[in-house]
Amino acid sequence: MPLTKLRNIGIAAHIDAGKTTVTERILFFTGTTRKMGEVHDGAATMDFMKQEQERGITIASAAISCKWNESQINLIDTPGHVDFTIEVERSLRVIDGMVAVFCAVGGVEPQSETVWHQADRYRVPRIAFVNKMDRSGAEFSEVVIQMNKYLDANAVPFQVPMGSEDNFIGLIDIIERKAFNFADGERGEIPVPAEYVERMEEARKFLIEKLADYNDQIMELYLEEKDVPNELLKTAARDATLKLMITPVFAGAAYKNKGVHLILDAVVDYLPSPIDVGAVVGLDVDDPEKSHHRNPSKNEPFSALAFKLINDPYVGQQTFVRIFSGAIKGGVQIFNTTKGKPERVGRIFKIRAKDREEISEAGPGDIVALVGMKVTKTGDTLCDPDHRLLLENIHVPPTVIELKVQPANRKEQSKLGEALAKLMNEDPSFNVRYNEETEESIISGMGELHLEIIIDRLKEEFKVDVIVGEPAVALRETITAEEEINYKYSKQTGGKGQFAHVVFRIEPNEGKGYEFVDKIKGGAIPNEYIPSVDKGIRKTIEDGILSGFPIVDVKVVLLDGKYHPVDSSDQAFQTCASIAFKQAFLKATPILLEPMMKIEINTPDDYIGNVVGDMNKRRGKIESMRRHRKGSQKVNGFVPLQEMFGYATTLRNISSGRANYAMEFFQYMPMSKTVQEEMLKKIEAKKAEKK
């Protein structure tokens, strides 16, 4: 199949907008599945994890291939819940186009904004599908207004809905001037009803005016008041969509099978093929100032990006990759540029959700799963060993919530360790650290639901029974002042002693993480011991000093030191650096940082006072309030995650169950002095209890 007929698309939206239902209908109407799976029955093809079926939500992005007319569509269904943002992030990195699904009642929701801005970051062309047009309160034009107001989407309707709510009977294609109804789920063409002709012509005129800004031919015909040919409109619309100048908007009710055929046509007509996307750009491995372009052609050297790992009980670890250029066969050797190591491809699979089909070769534009990868992780670049390059990695947000876990049976400690390592391998937004003092594993993730799913998988998939502690917010420690330390470590124990002497400065390094700078002159500390100083500090940073939470945003400048030809060793310099760092850190005005969340609350007007009052009690800061729909408002602001445990229940109580909210991580911010003092007292009390 020519590359012009291939579409790599993602379906993304706010939770409950109906993404998975849209995907299920696409799979049914393209003949990929024989039966429509329903989310509420726990039978959706794309939600094949047990945890997804029980909760009726999508957790992991699933990939599947299907055919429509003469085109092949590689489809990735992504989660809508903010705890699984990494899934959307990694999918957007490898798709070429996106269908953004909006609920005709809810409109632009908080997570739709997050996904939209993620797509902006990767410059992904998109079309919009306003779903649930049959629901009470559905308003197509209101959603288009919100898209322009809150997303700056330059949204342009390409259809006129015929009716809404219970009276939603079909759609009018304003380019073709054709009307469709969807009796029995099939697309039936009918004459445009007389009462809709004027509305259709107005919408068509609006589309022509928009496209005239980007196409001289259309501008000419428009000024001469001549009709614009359908093909010219489609070509100009495709061009404007690919350049991110407009967002075509379509409508339907996926659950009732209305409008899905037309959205498939739109995917083929307006979203890009790998040829439209063009060359991928990677950095030269030896000279980061130089870049290489790889065109989507089999004749170019092989390049691909690994974007997801899944442990499959039957074939072992599957590494999902998007191939940008060249071709790959089973059994060949390729190179992992990120790790600087070779890899051998075992088998290649085309994935159809939980089913797989082995293929002998894959080429540019393909999204496939490779089996046999040993060192490859999410975000790694794979390429031809003779033509190396490094592609842009995948952005991973920091973790914000922690849980302590330990096996119910001590004999299962190693089994738990292996299971956590596998889960960490699969999910870059999930971290594990082991506290040797308490013998507990501390797992951290993006939210309560994220960790709930992890615990569930440990029990169900890996058969490890675990004892789980209370969820706690993942804090960070940092410094606010510079401090220089001169420290000598010397120990005599009969035989060979231990000696190390370091002089270094620590300084704040906001937003840049930990940095180590070596400014040793004249061999005051031999080269082989300088990495030991760095290693000793890194170990201390992981465990924290004030509160046991990791230290971030600190720069260490190694200035001077001394060594002993006999008593100095790697271990001596590690210990010396660790003690020196602790002493300097405590003098450099250390503070705690806490995760601040961006929150959006939808509430009826009657409860706005209760909602805002409760937010203020939680140390929240209200940024804006805006009218959402008649009789309801959206409250936007920031609030410390620390204060948000159990918020869903409180909000339900103060609004009689009529308000809802969504929140996502914003950034780590300094904790106020009084809150920090209280927090440190609690930590000290817990330590004393354990003793």
Side-chain angles (χ1 to χ4, degrees):
M1 181 180 289
L3 274 180
T4 50
K5 297 282 186 188
L6 178 61
R7 300 287 180 273
N8 283 317
I9 66 160
I11 295 195
H14 184 84
I15 193 164
D16 280 345
K19 292 175 311 303
T20 301
T21 305
V22 171
T23 309
E24 289 299 322
R25 298 308 184 264
I26 286 174
L27 299 183
F28 179 75
F29 290 125
T30 56
T32 308
T33 53
R34 301 242 169 98
K35 175 177 172 288
M36 281 184 258
E38 302 298 354
V39 176
H40 53 263
D41 295 340
T45 310
M46 300 298 265
D47 288 351
F48 53 86
M49 281 167 68
K50 182 174 181 289
Q51 292 80 6
E52 296 177 309
Q53 291 162 359
E54 285 171 354
R55 290 168 178 79
I57 60 167
T58 303
I59 293 165
S61 52
I64 198 161
S65 297
C66 55
K67 285 193 166 64
W68 182 248
N69 296 337
E70 290 169 10
S71 296
Q72 181 185 320
I73 299 171
N74 289 333
L75 184 65
I76 295 180
D77 178 29
T78 60
H81 198 286
V82 69
D83 282 16
F84 308 103
T85 293
I86 182 68
E87 293 289 340
V88 184
E89 190 78 35
R90 55 179 162 196
S91 303
L92 283 168
R93 179 66 187 83
V94 295
I95 57 177
D96 299 329
M98 183 174 100
V99 179
V101 181
F102 296 91
C103 170
V105 183
V108 174
E109 300 276 21
Q111 188 63 9
S112 5
E113 293 191 40
T114 306
V115 170
W116 196 269
H117 297 318
Q118 283 173 306
D120 280 341
R121 181 158 67 234
Y122 292 114
R123 294 198 55 75
V124 176
R126 63 217 85 148
I127 60 177
F129 180 63
V130 179
N131 191 24
K132 303 190 181 184
M133 281 298 298
D134 56 339
R135 282 262 309 274
S136 177
E139 285 184 54
F140 179 72
S141 55
E142 175 62 26
V143 180
V144 175
I145 289 164
Q146 287 185 19
M147 284 178 69
N148 287 326
K149 191 172 176 184
Y150 305 131
L151 305 177
D152 198 18
N154 206 358
V156 184
F158 273 49
Q159 291 172 341
V160 170
M162 293 190 285
S164 69
E165 302 181 347
D166 291 342
N167 301 319
F168 177 57
I169 55 163
L171 296 154
I172 298 166
D173 179 329
I174 62 175
I175 291 183
E176 300 282 354
R177 291 186 170 107
K178 287 178 182 175
F180 299 94
N181 68 358
F182 297 92
D184 307 321
E186 288 305 314
R187 166 171 53 174
E189 194 180 326
I190 57 169
V192 176
E195 67 268 32
Y196 286 104
V197 170
E198 192 181 334
R199 206 180 306 171
M200 174 188 77
E201 289 302 334
E202 276 175 17
R204 197 172 198 273
K205 189 183 175 196
F206 180 72
L207 174 62
I208 289 167
E209 284 172 2
K210 279 281 180 192
L211 293 176
D213 292 342
Y214 313 116
N215 186 290
D216 294 342
Q217 231 178 319
I218 292 177
M219 176 65 87
E220 222 170 281
L221 291 166
Y222 174 67
L223 293 173
E224 290 169 9
E225 294 185 5
K226 290 180 182 171
D227 195 43
V228 181
N230 296 353
E231 277 313 306
L232 176 57
L233 269 181
K234 274 191 174 177
T235 307
R238 177 181 175 78
D239 191 45
T241 306
L242 298 190
K243 288 176 178 164
L244 273 67
M245 289 164 169
I246 64 165
T247 304
V249 187
F250 302 86
Y255 182 55
K256 299 277 176 66
N257 308 325
K258 294 178 179 180
V260 179
H261 304 76
L262 302 178
I263 204 75
L264 277 163
D265 289 343
V267 163
V268 174
D269 289 343
Y270 303 114
L271 289 181
S273 71
I275 298 288
D276 296 314
V277 174
V280 68
V281 180
L283 297 176
D284 189 294
V285 183
D286 303 316
D287 181 2
E289 296 297 308
K290 272 167 73 178
S291 60
H292 295 292
H293 290 66
R294 294 275 190 272
N295 290 303
S297 158
K298 275 193 171 184
N299 304 325
E300 295 259 325
F302 170 72
S303 68
L305 188 81
F307 70 97
K308 188 175 174 66
L309 273 68
I310 289 182
N311 275 299
D312 187 290
Y314 302 106
V315 296
Q317 185 176 285
Q318 295 180 148
T319 305
F320 281 76
V321 301
R322 157 73 196 261
I323 301 172
F324 289 102
S325 65
I328 187 174
K329 290 182 178 178
V332 301
Q333 187 156 313
I334 54 176
F335 191 76
N336 180 323
T337 323
T338 314
K339 298 285 187 298
K341 290 181 179 174
E343 284 273 37
R344 185 167 293 281
V345 179
R347 298 151 79 192
I348 307 172
F349 290 106
K350 253 219 179 334
I351 301 296
R352 295 176 180 273
K354 63 181 172 185
D355 300 318
R356 66 186 83 75
E357 172 199 340
E358 189 165 353
I359 54 175
S360 57
E361 185 180 348
D366 283 340
I367 290 176
V368 291
L370 307 180
V371 174
M373 302 282 104
K374 296 280 190 290
V375 297
T376 302
K377 300 272 190 295
T378 295
D380 286 4
T381 300
L382 298 169
C383 61
D384 183 318
D386 300 324
H387 300 85
R388 297 177 187 181
L389 85 165
L390 188 62
L391 299 170
E392 183 192 349
N393 206 320
I394 291 166
H395 169 74
V396 180
T399 57
V400 294
I401 199 160
E402 291 192 342
L403 272 183
K404 288 177 179 165
V405 294
Q406 54 190 130
N409 180 343
R410 287 184 76 90
K411 290 176 192 164
E412 293 203 311
Q413 185 67 56
S414 64
K415 196 176 169 187
L416 173 65
E418 283 167 27
L420 290 173
K422 280 183 180 171
L423 289 167
M424 200 160 65
N425 223 352
E426 280 184 24
D427 181 355
S429 66
F430 170 65
N431 285 325
V432 182
R433 55 195 175 92
Y434 184 68
N435 187 322
E436 285 178 14
E437 277 179 44
T438 59
E439 295 186 337
E440 291 169 321
S441 295
I442 298 158
I443 62 173
S444 55
M446 301 302 297
E448 288 179 90
L449 181 63
H450 187 194
L451 295 186
E452 188 188 309
I453 301 288
I454 294 280
I455 298 296
D456 217 12
R457 288 187 66 190
L458 283 173
K459 291 175 181 174
E460 294 286 338
E461 212 173 297
F462 296 96
K463 306 289 182 257
V464 182
D465 198 16
V466 288
I467 298 165
V468 183
E470 285 290 305
V473 169
L475 303 177
R476 298 285 185 268
E477 302 179 11
T478 192
I479 54 170
T480 53
E482 276 189 23
E483 189 63 40
E484 195 169 301
I485 184 95
N486 182 334
Y487 183 76
K488 183 163 75 173
Y489 174 69
S490 179
K491 229 176 184 181
Q492 288 305 128
T493 49
K496 187 188 170 193
Q498 287 191 40
F499 179 88
H501 184 176
V502 294
V503 181
F504 58 69
R505 182 175 72 246
I506 66 170
E507 53 191 66
N509 198 27
E510 201 180 327
K512 292 179 185 166
Y514 166 69
E515 216 177 315
F516 179 77
V517 181
D518 168 23
K519 288 206 170 169
I520 289 289
K521 290 191 173 73
I525 298 175
N527 281 343
E528 70 259 32
Y529 295 138
I530 287 168
S532 310
V533 176
D534 183 26
K535 202 171 171 186
I537 295 168
R538 278 181 192 274
K539 275 187 183 170
T540 313
I541 274 174
E542 280 170 26
D543 298 332
I545 294 166
L546 276 185
S547 60
F549 287 102
I551 293 165
V552 294
D553 298 347
V554 174
K555 186 178 191 176
V556 176
V557 184
L558 182 59
L559 303 166
D560 201 1
K562 288 190 180 75
Y563 76 104
H564 188 279
V566 177
D567 292 350
S568 285
S569 65
D570 165 53
Q571 194 54 51
F573 270 99
Q574 277 195 50
T575 308
C576 177
S578 175
I579 297 168
F581 183 81
K582 280 178 186 169
Q583 290 184 5
F585 183 87
L586 291 169
K587 288 179 187 168
T589 325
I591 56 165
L592 290 181
L593 301 172
E594 63 179 336
M596 193 62 69
M597 309 302 282
K598 190 175 168 188
I599 188 165
E600 181 167 296
I601 307 160
N602 293 337
T603 174
D605 291 345
D606 301 355
Y607 307 106
I608 193 82
N610 297 353
V611 166
V612 171
D614 180 69
M615 233 342 91
N616 290 335
K617 279 185 210 159
R618 293 171 187 271
R619 299 192 283 131
K621 183 184 171 197
I622 305 296
E623 285 280 294
S624 67
M625 288 193 274
R626 66 190 195 218
R627 174 96 20 230
H628 178 42
R629 283 178 179 274
K630 198 176 174 188
S632 77
Q633 294 191 45
K634 279 193 177 192
V635 179
N636 289 77
F638 300 95
V639 62
L641 178 60
Q642 185 83 11
E643 308 291 339
M644 293 305 284
F645 290 111
Y647 182 64
T649 310
T650 307
L651 185 64
R652 208 174 297 128
N653 293 340
I654 63 176
S655 69
S656 306
R658 291 177 62 202
N660 60 55
Y661 79 103
M663 66 179 184
E664 61 176 307
F665 173 70
F666 174 58
Q667 66 184 58
Y668 271 93
M669 293 181 85
M671 201 178 255
S672 75
K673 206 170 180 186
T674 48
V675 178
Q676 179 170 316
E677 281 167 12
E678 277 173 39
M679 177 64 66
L680 291 173
K681 274 179 197 164
K682 277 184 198 168
I683 290 165
E684 283 306 314
K686 275 185 187 171
K687 279 184 189 170
E689 262 174 49
K690 280 179 184 167
K691 283 175 187 172

